[in-house]
Amino acid sequence: MEGLELRRLERGDFDKGFLQLMQQLTVVGDVSREMFDAKMQQLEKLGDYHRIVVIEDVKSGRVVATGSIFIEHKFARSCGKVGHLEDVVVDERMRGCHLGQRYLYFALSIFAQQSQRRVIEALTSFAKDAGCYKVILDCKPENAAFYEKCGYSKKEIQMAKYF
Amino acid sequence: MEGLELRRLERGDFDKGFLQLMQQLTVVGDVSREMFDAKMQQLEKLGDYHRIVVIEDVKSGRVVATGSIFIEHKFARSCGKVGHLEDVVVDERMRGCHLGQRYLYFALSIFAQQSQRRVIEALTSFAKDAGCYKVILDCKPENAAFYEKCGYSKKEIQMAKYF
């Protein structure tokens, strides 16, 4: 995938559209540069227990995909570890939304799928190398087929309580 | 709930049946005292980002319930935090398994439900006080009704990849 660089999230990504990309996934709200830097500092303290990767389109200097993983310490499985995959998103422009031309739509869609898969595989490999015995994630039912292609299987149900 | 003390997991719980309790939930495998202490040391380094609570039956000196929560840093929701509830289990003897007397079964079962609820509520409150905007968990479909009583709602599906 020429021109697309996968790497860890950096402070400079504040100016490269990282938060705008996250907004396509969830509610981000107001995040100033100071808040961003403070969160980066907190994440740096966690070292390899929390890793966020991005794919940068080198030509445009924009972040076009991201995903994160954090590692949980367990007593299960001989004091093993579990990777939690979170916040995987690919820029909607790569996903081909709002484009009238069908051919262009599909070309971009495959490109987006490749980027998404690259993020998922990079984070899954990271967790495996860190000694995790499994990686888990929560997703919408319509995205399950995609994760199955990446080697994931359906397990339980997710529940949430909002404050 | 007289005689039942809810508190954080301690190193001494190695001798109070904590791992045997965890075995009722999942595969624990061989965990020596040294491994247990090393894991406790790792968890202590994470401070308030990872909390494991237990309920001890003071009379018998045994751990009869446990649950854990860890806090994930997000950029979403104005650099918010999310609590992940994990590994909630109540001793099967409290759950009333393998007991022939129906009356006793129900009496213990209510007792077990109260303990489970106490663990879930303590960890959920902890996450709220720590500034989390939500708590999430994964569970078997048959346990969803219980979590709904604790204020949780069904959201997405969980997927996993084992190594």
Side-chain angles (χ1 to χ4, degrees):
Chain A
M1 297 179 74
E2 216 179 325
L4 293 177
E5 186 200 354
L6 187 143
R7 56 168 173 75
R8 283 187 88 159
L9 179 70
E10 300 168 351
R11 294 193 185 205
D13 292 326
F14 182 84
D15 298 308
K16 292 184 175 178
F18 172 73
L19 294 171
Q20 290 74 12
L21 177 62
M22 285 294 294
Q23 258 164 354
Q24 295 177 27
L25 178 75
T26 185
V27 180
V28 175
D30 289 328
V31 176
S32 65
R33 188 184 295 274
E34 289 67 32
M35 287 165 74
F36 184 85
D37 286 349
K39 183 62 83 173
M40 285 297 285
Q41 203 171 3
Q42 283 174 320
L43 290 170
E44 281 157 13
K45 277 186 195 157
L46 294 172
D48 278 340
Y49 290 136
H50 196 137
R51 176 164 293 223
I52 303 177
V53 298
V54 297
I55 292 180
E56 178 181 345
D57 178 350
V58 179
K59 202 172 167 186
S60 68
R62 303 296 288 176
V63 170
V64 294
T66 185
S68 76
I69 199 154
F70 58 91
I71 291 171
E72 178 202 0
H73 284 281
K74 294 273 195 192
F75 285 98
R77 305 274 176 146
S78 303
C79 289
K81 288 178 273 188
V82 170
H84 292 251
L85 191 58
E86 291 275 334
D87 298 339
V88 175
V89 59
V90 174
D91 191 342
E92 62 188 4
R93 283 168 290 192
M94 289 186 83
R95 280 186 267 140
C97 300
H98 317 305
L99 290 170
Q101 290 173 274
R102 195 174 168 79
Y103 174 76
L104 190 58
Y105 177 88
F106 279 114
L108 285 170
S109 180
I110 289 164
F111 206 52
Q113 278 192 34
Q114 283 175 339
S115 294
Q116 192 158 337
R117 196 165 178 151
R118 206 173 149 199
V119 165
I120 294 161
E121 287 177 350
L123 293 171
T124 305
S125 292
F126 172 74
K128 190 181 177 188
D129 294 345
C132 293
Y133 67 89
K134 70 175 177 181
V135 172
I136 59 173
L137 60 92
D138 297 311
C139 68
K140 294 192 177 107
E142 58 265 34
N143 293 332
F146 183 80
Y147 282 105
E148 280 169 351
K149 283 185 201 163
C150 300
Y152 284 79
S153 306
K154 285 181 200 160
K155 291 288 288 183
E156 300 189 324
I157 58 167
Q158 185 213 27
M159 304 197 77
K161 182 174 187 170
Y162 284 78
F163 303 122
Chain B
M1 295 180 75
E2 216 180 323
L4 293 176
E5 185 199 355
L6 187 142
R7 56 168 173 78
R8 282 188 87 161
L9 179 70
E10 301 167 350
R11 295 192 185 205
D13 292 327
F14 182 84
D15 298 308
K16 291 183 175 179
F18 171 73
L19 294 172
Q20 290 74 12
L21 176 62
M22 285 294 293
Q23 259 164 354
Q24 295 177 26
L25 178 74
T26 184
V27 179
V28 175
D30 290 328
V31 176
S32 65
R33 187 182 297 272
E34 289 68 31
M35 288 165 73
F36 184 84
D37 287 347
K39 182 62 82 173
M40 286 295 285
Q41 202 171 3
Q42 284 174 320
L43 291 170
E44 282 157 12
K45 279 187 195 159
L46 295 172
D48 277 340
Y49 291 136
H50 196 138
R51 176 166 293 226
I52 303 176
V53 298
V54 297
I55 292 181
E56 179 180 344
D57 178 349
V58 180
K59 201 172 168 189
S60 67
R62 303 297 288 176
V63 170
V64 294
T66 183
S68 77
I69 200 154
F70 58 92
I71 291 171
E72 178 202 0
H73 284 282
K74 294 273 195 193
F75 285 97
R77 306 274 177 142
S78 302
C79 289
K81 288 178 273 187
V82 169
H84 293 252
L85 191 58
E86 293 274 335
D87 299 338
V88 175
V89 59
V90 174
D91 191 341
E92 63 187 5
R93 281 165 293 190
M94 286 186 84
R95 280 185 267 140
C97 301
H98 317 305
L99 290 170
Q101 289 172 275
R102 196 174 168 79
Y103 175 76
L104 189 58
Y105 177 88
F106 279 113
L108 286 170
S109 180
I110 289 164
F111 206 52
Q113 278 190 33
Q114 283 175 339
S115 294
Q116 191 158 337
R117 197 166 178 151
R118 204 171 150 201
V119 165
I120 293 162
E121 288 177 350
L123 293 171
T124 304
S125 293
F126 172 75
K128 190 181 177 188
D129 294 344
C132 293
Y133 67 88
K134 69 174 177 181
V135 173
I136 59 174
L137 61 92
D138 298 310
C139 69
K140 294 192 177 108
E142 58 265 34
N143 293 332
F146 183 79
Y147 283 104
E148 279 167 352
K149 282 185 201 163
C150 299
Y152 285 79
S153 307
K154 286 181 200 161
K155 291 288 288 182
E156 300 189 323
I157 59 168
Q158 184 213 28
M159 303 196 76
K161 182 173 186 169
Y162 283 78
F163 302 125

